Amino acid sequence: MVSIIVYDLKGEEVKKLVNEIQEADYHNIVWNGLNENGQSVASGRYILKMRAPGYAETITMTLLK
């Protein structure tokens, strides 16, 4: 089970990019800057949390429009 979720700096979920079982391999995920409602989010800093069995990573990213 793999999950990749974008949060704002307040810790609120913005967009769930992946939440499913994935085969072990290289995968590309592109976030188009939209939230769960399909609305464009503001430029700024966001937190990306990635989780998989035996792996967890949190990074910050900057969205520029």
Side-chain angles (χ1 to χ4, degrees):
M1 187 67 166
V2 175
S3 71
I4 302 175
I5 303 173
V6 178
Y7 296 90
D8 62 19
L9 292 180
K10 294 182 238 174
E12 296 176 9
E13 186 175 306
V14 174
K15 179 74 174 182
K16 192 173 293 183
L17 300 175
V18 175
N19 191 30
E20 61 189 22
I21 295 173
Q22 297 263 326
E23 294 291 325
D25 201 351
Y26 289 97
H27 298 274
N28 287 323
I29 303 296
V30 176
W31 178 40
N32 56 6
L34 301 178
N35 64 16
E36 290 291 344
N37 299 322
Q39 299 167 323
S40 183
V41 299
S43 295
R45 306 273 314 214
Y46 291 88
I47 299 167
L48 182 75
K49 291 189 178 185
M50 300 174 280
R51 294 190 186 116
Y55 177 81
E57 183 78 27
T58 301
I59 63 170
T60 59
M61 58 185 179
T62 303
L63 176 66
L64 300 173
K65 294 186 178 186

